């Protein structure tokens, strides 16, 4: 089920990124050191009171010097773009203003847009970290967006009240009809060829069952039979604009892709071979990895690449470097325009579905664990050696493994990755993320 989206909008330097980092519990808007994710992302998943939702930092990462270097017209244009993106895609909008500097024309400009939108909007006065500033937030009533909530995103005060308001404003989750087969989402930046790929796939000799609107805005779910198996294709096309693609439209593609990814079993990440891997491609790939979905990297427009004897292998090597946090994703080189190798796309996706539902016998899993630890013992502190007791597979889709040991807090992320690599060497799991959990022995009783 697609998670609802909450967008934080407002002028530059009002503290949107600080609030974003606090709500998701990490400094992701600045740098991401956790292995397996991309850097400088502007979205994350959080929950409050058992309600999970996606939160978007729409303000970008502008420091004071960058803002001073821009003209007021450019700042106003960037603000409008961000507000338009939020209005179009978010379920709830948080408008952040600065209690320290007070109300100004930029706040009125964004408020005017939001007031005309049929979206729940929550007004937040940030930097209200003193009694006088909390008392001064009432001037923001003139924006016409209801009661302003005074908070300090830096210190965390007032954020609980804000989260309560957000959860109250979120729409009720809609139950989706169960599909007989796996859901495969087609995602990617604008103009990489998603629509052409979908048309090429449907142009094959396949039986199309239905073409119905999906729950994702501006997407379509197409149910079809592929090699005797029912499949649902989730299309996120229709987000292109003539001329230059600006930042707002790029963010549009990420938001729509996220909604489709949430609903899918396997994601077709479409890359433009002529442009290589861009920051937006990596943003989307990072979200796929974070949500533990299956993935097939579809390198489109391969017919436009001048080829030599090693061109494909060189591209594979570059993909491994760029997608180092997702090395398990298979690549398929296609030309949707010419129909070259497009059948391999769904065939590969269905193979990934099979991998996601694979179960490993407990005896074979523990034999692998014993051999892996013997070949490369984990780094441990003197006098407190790490010991692994046993492992078991707890779930599928994604494959989930629980490993019991004496001190889970001491295991290093590099050793986690080592054990994951050993799992893949022994049992495959091509195209799918793996979830691994390390627990103390007492937690298993």
């Amino acid at each position: 089920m697609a998670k609802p989206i909450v967008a934080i909008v407002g002028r530059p330097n009002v503290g949107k990124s600080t609030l974003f980092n606090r709500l998701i519990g990490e400094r992701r808007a600045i740098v991401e050191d956790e292995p397996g994710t991309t850097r400088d992302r502007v979205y994350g998943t959080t929950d409050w009171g058992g309600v999970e939702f996606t939160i978007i930092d729409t303000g970008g990462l502008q420091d004071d010097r960058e803002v001073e270097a821009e003209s007021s017209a450019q700042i106003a244009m960037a603000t409008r773009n961000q507000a338009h993106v939020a209005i179009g895609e978010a379920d709830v909008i948080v408008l952040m203003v600065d209690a320290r500097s007070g109300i100004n024309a930029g706040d009125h400009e964004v408020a005017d847009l939001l007031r005309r939108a049929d979206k729940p909007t929550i007004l937040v006065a940030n930097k209200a970290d003193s009694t006088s500033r909390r008392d001064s937030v009432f001037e923001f009533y003139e924006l016409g967006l209801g009661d302003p909530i005074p908070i300090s995103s830096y210190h965390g005060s007032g954020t609980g009240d804000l989260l309560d308001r957000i959860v109250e404003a979120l729409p009720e989750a809609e139950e989706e009809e169960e599909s007989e087969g796996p859901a495969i989402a087609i995602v990617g930046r604008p103009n990489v060829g998603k629509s052409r790929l979908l048309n090429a796939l449907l142009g094959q000799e396949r039986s199309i069952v239905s073409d119905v609107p999906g729950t994702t805005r501006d997407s379509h779910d197409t149910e079809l039979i592929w090699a005797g198996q029912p499949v649902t294709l989730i299309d996120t096309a229709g987000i292109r604009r003539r001329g230059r693609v600006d930042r707002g439209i790029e963010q549009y593609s990420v938001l729509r892709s996220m909604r489709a990814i949430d609903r899918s079993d396997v994601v077709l990440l479409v890359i433009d071979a002529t442009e290589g891997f861009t920051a937006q491609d990596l943003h989307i790939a990072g979200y796929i990895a974070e949500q533990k979905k299956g993935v097939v990297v579809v390198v489109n427009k391969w017919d436009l690449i001048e080829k030599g004897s090693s061109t494909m292998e060189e591209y594979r090597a570059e993909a491994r470097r760029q997608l180092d946090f997702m090395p398990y994703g298979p690549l398929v080189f296609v030309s949707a325009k010419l129909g070259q190798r497009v059948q391999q796309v769904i065939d590969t996706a269905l193979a990934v579905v099979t991998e996601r539902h694979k179960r490993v016998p407990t005896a074979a899993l523990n034999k692998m664990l014993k051999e892996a630890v013997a070949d490369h013992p984990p780094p441990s502190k003197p006098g407190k050696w790490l010991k692994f007791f046993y492992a078991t597979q707890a779930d599928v889709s994604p494959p989930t493994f629980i490993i019991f040991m004496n001190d889970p807090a001491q295991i290093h992320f590099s050793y986690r990755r080592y054990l994951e690599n050993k799992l893949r060497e022994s049992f495959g799991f091509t195209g799918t993320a793996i979830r691994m959990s390390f627990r103390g022995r007492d937690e298993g009783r």
Side-chain angles (χ1 to χ4, degrees), residues 11-49:
R11 295 183 293 109
N13 296 321
V14 295
K16 297 184 297 296
S17 294
T18 304
L19 177 63
F20 170 81
N21 289 335
R22 179 166 291 279
L23 294 183
I24 67 168
E26 53 185 301
R27 297 185 65 185
R28 185 179 299 173
I30 298 174
V31 64
E32 174 60 65
D33 293 326
E34 180 72 18
T37 54
T38 57
R39 292 171 181 257
D40 300 321
R41 296 194 331 230
V42 292
Y43 51 82
T45 300
T46 188
D47 70 89
W48 185 254

Side-chain angles (χ1 to χ4, degrees), residues 36-37 261 284-293 325-326 328 433:
T37 54
I261 291 166
I284 298 171
Y287 190 75
I288 296 170
E290 185 178 85
Q291 299 304 307
K292 304 296 183 184
K293 300 292 185 176
F325 55 89
M326 201 168 64
Y328 48 83

Side-chain angles (χ1 to χ4, degrees), residues 19-126:
L19 177 63
F20 170 81
N21 289 335
R22 179 166 291 279
L23 294 183
I24 67 168
E26 53 185 301
R27 297 185 65 185
R28 185 179 299 173
I30 298 174
V31 64
E32 174 60 65
D33 293 326
E34 180 72 18
T37 54
T38 57
R39 292 171 181 257
D40 300 321
R41 296 194 331 230
V42 292
Y43 51 82
T45 300
T46 188
D47 70 89
W48 185 254
V51 179
E52 191 176 41
F53 55 93
T54 295
I55 192 156
I56 307 291
D57 175 15
T58 63
L61 303 176
Q62 295 180 327
D63 59 26
D64 291 337
R65 289 170 299 177
E66 289 174 325
V67 172
E68 290 171 3
E70 294 177 339
S71 70
S72 58
Q74 288 174 315
I75 295 175
M77 182 178 297
T79 303
R80 282 194 300 271
N81 286 342
Q82 297 292 352
H84 279 300
V85 171
I87 290 170
E89 292 297 315
D91 297 293
V92 174
I93 301 168
V94 174
L95 172 58
M96 178 174 281
V97 293
D98 190 337
R100 180 185 302 171
S101 62
I103 198 166
N104 68 21
D107 296 326
H108 280 287
E109 184 177 358
V110 181
D112 287 342
L113 290 171
L114 299 183
R115 257 198 322 273
R116 293 192 295 267
D118 187 21
K119 297 287 178 71
T121 301
I122 301 170
L123 179 61
V124 175
N126 190 32

